[in-house]
Amino acid sequence: MKGKTMAEKQTFEHESVQDNETVSQYLKALIDGFESGKVVFVSEKRQLVLQPNNLLEFSIKAKKKGEKNKIVLKFSWKDSHTAPDPESGSLKIIS
């Protein structure tokens, strides 16, 4: 492929059991990162810096099956300055 380079895939994954307060702190750090335009993920072995831009694709899924509950949040964007058209429709999350 002349003129094109394959971008290196960088990933960061973390799974653990945490209490509500710790999870809230992680979510607040994500909020701060989205507001500042820089989110840094750090573990003992790895660091990944992401720079969210103004418009992001956002999805949320929530499930309950018996005693098992799950919330999945997904944010995605491209580093380029072109952004997807924001979709109409509203979402309310009530605590």
Side-chain angles (χ1 to χ4, degrees):
M1 288 185 208
K2 191 174 183 180
K4 291 187 178 184
T5 59
M6 185 74 97
E8 179 186 342
K9 183 177 181 178
Q10 300 177 46
T11 61
F12 183 96
E13 294 185 29
H14 177 81
E15 281 191 44
S16 62
V17 175
Q18 303 288 338
D19 59 28
N20 280 344
E21 184 178 338
T22 303
V23 172
S24 294
Q25 290 171 358
Y26 289 144
L27 292 172
K28 288 174 186 172
L30 283 172
I31 290 167
D32 291 344
F34 281 116
E35 289 175 348
S36 71
K38 183 177 180 181
V39 181
V40 181
F41 298 92
V42 180
S43 71
E44 294 173 0
K45 300 177 185 176
R46 183 125 183 89
Q47 176 174 315
L48 179 64
V49 178
L50 300 177
Q51 296 177 302
N53 54 32
N54 289 331
L55 286 178
L56 298 90
E57 292 183 39
F58 168 70
S59 70
I60 184 168
K61 294 179 184 179
K63 288 191 215 180
K64 181 171 183 65
K65 184 176 181 181
E67 292 183 6
K68 192 169 186 171
N69 304 281
K70 186 175 193 177
I71 300 172
V72 177
L73 300 171
K74 182 178 175 183
F75 308 93
S76 61
W77 65 93
K78 292 187 178 184
D79 287 335
S80 67
H81 294 289
T82 59
D85 293 329
E87 292 185 21
S88 62
S90 62
L91 168 69
K92 290 184 181 181
I93 302 175
I94 301 166
S95 59

